[in-house]
Amino acid sequence: LTTVTTSCTPQFDYSFDGNVTEIIKEHSYTYTDKGDGTHSFNCSVCGSIGTEDHDFFYNANNNVITASCNKCETTGTATITAENVTYTGSAYANASVSYSDNWQGNRDLTIVYKQGETILDAAPVNAGDYTAYIEYESAGVPAYFTIAKEDSTITAAPTAIADLVYDGSAQNLINAGTATGGEMQYSTDGTNYSTAIPTGTNAKTYTVWYKVVGDENYIDTVPASIEVTIAPKSVTVTADNKSKTYGE
């Protein structure tokens, strides 16, 4: 009796000289996914059948983790997506994870948020560029998103101070405006802005530019302008009341 070492149930071959040779052959399995986290197997050589758990390995590609069974080729996916939004003052809540029907792993993966390489303690609030990230069995994938700045708003535009008259001193030209999402700033040249109220000394018409300079979560408004006039001071000429007789 001779044996050929492989791995299947013995089958016998009878030769003409009466010797019996036991041949152990390789299994030749067919696997079928059962949809419950297992697959069945059936050996076409020896007829053995059974059921066993999937043997998954995990790959990361773009924003998708793919689970593939080494034996039955069943695959499942976990996909993370994240939408771009505009700043609202609330924590970001537009990242989500979806799972295919054949995904056999955890269906409640934790979303981790990053800014650059820094892991955040919670979902971000402020404007900026971020990453939402999931990981399973050492396969991790990102989804990138932006929280854009909101528009700042002028709630009350500055107004010109009326009836200004030259008096030789520097006079305020406007009543201050108010804003949300930043601070009001002013300029008399349209280039250099500050929060200081513009002043004028000479009698003339001034152009005062103004805009909201946004903070980290708001963008600047487009500059606008108003005109303010300091009128010349009236001059009164008086003369002594004297008389002279003609010819004298």
Side-chain angles (χ1 to χ4, degrees):
L1 181 67
T2 60
T3 300
V4 179
T5 303
T6 51
S7 58
C8 203
T9 302
Q11 296 185 6
F12 299 99
D13 179 34
Y14 295 90
S15 64
F16 290 110
D17 59 7
N19 290 324
V20 179
T21 301
E22 182 184 42
I23 303 174
I24 302 177
K25 298 182 177 180
E26 289 274 356
H27 284 299
S28 178
Y29 283 125
T30 299
Y31 297 92
T32 304
D33 178 36
K34 298 183 68 175
D36 60 358
T38 66
H39 54 236
S40 62
F41 59 86
N42 180 12
C43 179
S44 61
V45 176
C46 66
S48 61
I49 60 174
T51 299
E52 62 185 5
D53 291 337
H54 288 303
D55 179 19
F56 281 118
F57 64 95
Y58 298 85
N59 286 322
N61 184 29
N62 295 324
N63 63 326
V64 180
I65 298 174
T66 300
S68 302
C69 180
N70 279 308
K71 295 182 178 180
C72 71
E73 299 183 357
T74 294
T75 61
T77 57
T79 304
I80 184 169
T81 56
E83 299 176 2
N84 294 330
V85 298
T86 299
Y87 173 79
T88 63
S90 299
Y92 180 80
N94 290 71
S96 61
V97 182
S98 60
Y99 305 92
S100 69
D101 290 342
N102 283 335
W103 176 260
Q104 305 295 333
N106 180 5
R107 286 181 170 265
D108 190 23
L109 295 178
T110 298
I111 298 175
V112 175
Y113 292 97
K114 298 180 179 181
Q115 187 170 32
E117 295 301 317
T118 302
I119 296 176
L120 305 179
D121 293 333
V125 175
N126 294 327
D129 296 321
Y130 299 94
T131 303
Y133 183 85
I134 57 172
E135 184 174 351
Y136 191 72
E137 296 292 336
S138 75
V141 291
Y144 303 102
F145 65 94
T146 297
I147 301 178
K149 290 185 176 184
E150 176 62 283
D151 293 333
S152 55
T153 304
I154 296 174
T155 53
T159 57
I161 295 178
D163 303 324
L164 294 175
V165 178
Y166 174 81
D167 64 4
S169 65
Q171 302 180 73
N172 287 346
L173 298 174
I174 60 168
N175 299 302
T178 58
T180 57
E183 60 183 12
M184 292 293 301
Q185 293 193 10
Y186 312 96
S187 172
T188 54
D189 62 9
T191 299
N192 301 297
Y193 284 83
S194 76
T195 56
I197 297 297
T199 61
T201 301
N202 295 329
K204 65 175 186 177
T205 297
Y206 296 84
T207 298
V208 176
W209 294 88
Y210 61 92
K211 66 178 179 178
V212 180
V213 176
D215 58 23
E216 64 177 339
N217 292 311
Y218 290 87
I219 61 177
D220 299 354
T221 61
V222 176
S225 66
I226 56 174
E227 291 189 342
V228 187
T229 298
I230 297 179
K233 183 177 181 179
S234 298
V235 177
T236 302
V237 178
T238 59
D240 293 338
N241 186 18
K242 295 181 179 181
S243 64
K244 182 177 176 64
T245 301
Y246 176 75
E248 291 183 352

